[in-house]
Amino acid sequence: DHFLLPYNRKLWARDLARLGTDWTAERVAAPSRQTEPLLEVAGQRSPLQEDTKIAYPAAGGFGEICRALARRVPGVRLGAAVARIDLNRRVVALLDGTELPWTRLVSTIPLPDLLARIPDAPSRLRECAAGLEYVSLQAVFVVVDGPVDRDLQRVYVADPAIVAHKIALNHNSSPSLRSRPRHAIIAEVSYSADKPLPEGDLKRRVVRDLLELRLLRSEQSVLHTSALDIKFGYPVPTHDRVSRVREIQSWLNERGLTTLGRFGAWQYVNSDRCIHDGLALGRSIAEQMAPGAEA
């Protein structure tokens, strides 16, 4: 009544009866190991324990993880949007007309957008992907003059009077960021057709809420605000999600295209799981393509 239901209504922006339960094992912290067994749902144990610690880059922000991985991969192209994927010719066509041949293709493009780029995808699969539900986000960024007084890293807000469901204070994630003269706060506001964004200036509303929560000293300490609209924020774990994704991935896998990631697998997973799955898939593909490996 006080957190679980109101918080999830804010996050998922829809009737909770439309959601399955398979996602909860990785989202609900387990009880104390001394008093209760590990929470287990659908055969999965919660990775969140009372003593769980999360690693963060010692210097710089979260993007350092992506930059470190990119340094080990030759030929990374940024800003090269995919226009079309030809599964028969095994060619990816970019918007600028460049064609890139491939032997095995891995995609993290959201499944509805991916199928829209495959001209010969069956209409049945397009309809299947179109039925996958997602939550959109407005990420509101607030730059503060000076450090934030609280040592919190995340605040999950169930109160419907506060517009954001999650507030991140990433400058508290490492001593390097903490020592900087200016800090940043990110507020996530989910929305959908069932729960539209509130009317008025969302950035001003977020600042007022941060003052109400005492995460800001004063409105005068705010140096800058901006907002980023994220169409695909969270994949919704509806009851038919697994069957829809299985049908789509099966058809694509038979044609040499593998999908993974939060919206490639349409699974509510964090970045650490995405990186782990990517590494595992990369090793598997490398073994299959090694000289002497069976075709």
Side-chain angles (χ1 to χ4, degrees):
D1 291 338
H2 296 287
F3 182 81
L4 188 64
L5 293 176
Y7 175 77
N8 281 289
R9 290 189 188 106
K10 283 181 70 175
L11 168 63
W12 298 110
R14 60 197 7 93
D15 183 356
L16 297 181
R18 287 157 61 181
L19 274 65
T21 59
D22 58 316
W23 59 277
T24 57
E26 294 191 2
R27 291 290 153 185
V28 179
S32 169
R33 293 175 177 169
Q34 297 177 350
T35 58
E36 299 288 344
L38 292 175
L39 181 68
E40 190 167 332
V41 179
Q44 299 184 58
R45 286 189 171 186
S46 170
L48 301 174
Q49 307 301 325
E50 59 183 358
D51 57 351
T52 296
K53 293 184 179 180
I54 307 298
Y56 203 84
F62 182 84
E64 291 300 319
I65 298 174
C66 302
R67 283 187 279 272
L69 291 171
R71 284 194 291 269
R72 302 179 62 182
V73 182
V76 174
R77 300 189 182 210
L78 302 178
V82 174
R84 188 179 70 261
I85 299 174
D86 190 324
L87 297 180
N88 293 319
R89 295 173 55 220
R90 298 212 165 188
V91 167
V92 171
L94 304 182
L95 278 179
D96 64 5
T98 302
E99 289 194 343
L100 305 173
W102 52 273
T103 303
R104 284 286 301 273
L105 189 62
V106 178
S107 170
T108 61
I109 297 174
L111 291 176
D113 287 0
L114 174 64
L115 289 177
R117 288 164 170 77
I118 302 175
D120 57 347
S123 58
R124 159 64 190 161
L125 285 188
R126 296 180 192 274
E127 294 171 3
C128 190
L132 292 168
E133 298 186 31
Y134 59 89
V135 171
S136 298
L137 296 175
Q138 280 278 329
V140 179
F141 301 87
V142 179
V143 179
V144 183
D145 187 14
V148 176
D149 293 333
R150 303 296 189 90
D151 60 359
L152 304 168
Q153 292 176 309
R154 298 288 186 275
V155 181
Y156 298 91
V157 187
D159 187 348
I162 303 295
V163 69
H165 64 271
K166 182 170 78 172
I167 299 169
L169 296 85
N170 286 332
H171 275 75
N172 288 331
S173 299
S174 72
S176 173
L177 294 178
R178 182 72 178 169
S179 66
R180 294 189 179 187
R182 294 174 178 174
H183 286 191
I185 300 174
I186 305 173
E188 286 189 10
V189 182
S190 65
Y191 69 95
S192 69
D194 295 337
K195 178 199 152 194
L197 289 169
E199 296 182 358
D201 189 332
L202 183 62
K203 293 179 290 185
R204 183 176 293 277
R205 170 76 178 273
V206 166
V207 170
R208 289 202 308 265
D209 287 348
L210 293 175
L211 290 168
E212 176 71 19
L213 295 171
R214 299 182 181 178
L215 294 174
L216 285 179
R217 299 176 187 173
S218 67
E219 192 168 354
Q220 289 68 38
S221 67
V222 176
L223 296 177
H224 173 78
T225 60
S226 60
L228 176 66
D229 185 71
I230 304 171
K231 177 181 177 181
F232 293 102
Y234 295 108
V236 179
T238 53
H239 297 281
D240 60 353
R241 174 188 63 88
V242 172
S243 60
R244 287 176 180 272
V245 173
R246 184 185 296 120
E247 182 175 353
I248 295 168
Q249 288 185 326
S250 177
W251 187 85
L252 294 172
N253 287 336
E254 291 174 356
R255 289 154 181 80
L257 197 164
T258 305
T259 68
L260 80 169
R262 179 173 280 187
F263 283 98
W266 214 267
Q267 189 174 5
Y268 186 28
V269 290
N270 284 339
S271 54
D272 52 352
R273 170 70 180 277
C274 292
I275 292 172
H276 175 273
D277 290 350
L279 289 171
L281 177 61
R283 293 190 183 104
S284 175
I285 292 175
E287 291 174 1
Q288 293 172 23
M289 300 182 67
E294 294 184 6

